[in-house]
């Protein structure tokens, strides 16, 4: 099946692991390691308020010499998050990921309720090889 024929809900990971803004960075990093994931949506209740990535931990915590056991995720998470709705066409979501050069995109309902995450790995499993290759190339292209 091609990305033109699919919706985001067909490829996304439903009910992703999350953390809340008060979660210590060290705990979030352990969860990412245990689950073998590169990001965690940050939620209050079930509403998306940000996203923290393994890169955020490396650059905003480790590189700056901050204490990950006392620093809350809310202090390092990205608040400006590019999102997509589950009913959008996968092809459009992939264009958005490529344009913003992001590997993971939270999937939200109209009220910003987190319902899933669309990751580059999800695309690799769901879409054809040509689509996957093109997305990886565009996301990884230096600016």
């Amino acid at each position: 099946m091609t990305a033109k024929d699919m919706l985001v809900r067909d490829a996304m990971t439903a009910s992703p692991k999350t953390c809340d803004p008060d979660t210590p960075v060290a705990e979030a990093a352990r969860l990412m390691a245990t689950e073998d994931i590169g990001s965690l949506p940050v939620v209050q209740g079930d509403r998306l308020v940000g996203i923290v990535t393994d890169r955020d931990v490396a650059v905003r915590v480790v590189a700056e010499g901050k204490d990950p056991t006392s620093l809350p995720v809310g202090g390092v998470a990205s608040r400006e998050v590019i999102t997509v709705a589950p009913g959008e066409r996968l092809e459009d979501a992939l264009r958005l990921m490529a344009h913003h050069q992001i590997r993971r995109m939270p999937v939200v309902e109209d009220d910003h309720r987190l319902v899933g995450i669309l990751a580059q790995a999800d695309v690799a499993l769901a879409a054809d090889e040509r689509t996957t290759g093109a997305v990886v190339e565009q996301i990884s292209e230096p600016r």
Side-chain angles (χ1 to χ4, degrees):
M1 191 180 294
T2 68
K4 290 181 180 183
D5 304 321
M6 299 175 72
L7 299 178
V8 168
R9 73 171 51 91
D10 299 326
M12 72 180 197
T13 296
S15 304
K17 298 292 181 186
T18 64
C19 64
D20 64 57
D22 296 326
T23 302
V25 170
E27 186 179 323
R30 278 192 295 276
L31 181 57
M32 284 190 269
T34 301
E35 297 294 325
D36 193 27
I37 54 178
S39 68
L40 283 171
V42 181
V43 296
Q44 285 186 316
D46 59 357
R47 304 291 185 257
L48 181 71
V49 295
I51 191 164
V52 64
T53 66
D54 46 10
R55 187 172 194 285
D56 293 330
V57 173
V59 173
R60 296 179 181 165
V61 181
V62 177
E64 293 183 10
K66 296 179 180 173
D67 179 7
T69 61
S70 63
L71 182 65
V73 165
V76 298
S78 298
R79 300 274 183 195
E80 300 288 322
V81 182
I82 306 299
T83 63
V84 65
E88 287 189 43
R89 294 181 334 149
L90 182 59
E91 180 180 45
D92 295 336
L94 298 180
R95 274 197 207 101
L96 194 58
M97 290 173 78
H99 176 76
H100 291 282
Q101 291 191 305
I102 53 177
R103 290 171 170 76
R104 306 159 192 100
M105 190 165 44
V107 181
V108 297
E109 295 286 345
D110 293 332
D111 56 0
H112 239 56
R113 184 175 57 86
L114 182 71
V115 295
I117 193 154
L118 181 64
Q120 195 173 340
D122 296 322
V123 175
L125 292 172
D128 60 79
E129 288 179 17
R130 195 172 129 253
T131 299
T132 301
V135 169
V136 170
E137 184 177 330
Q138 291 172 345
I139 288 172
S140 303
E141 190 173 279
R143 290 207 165 180

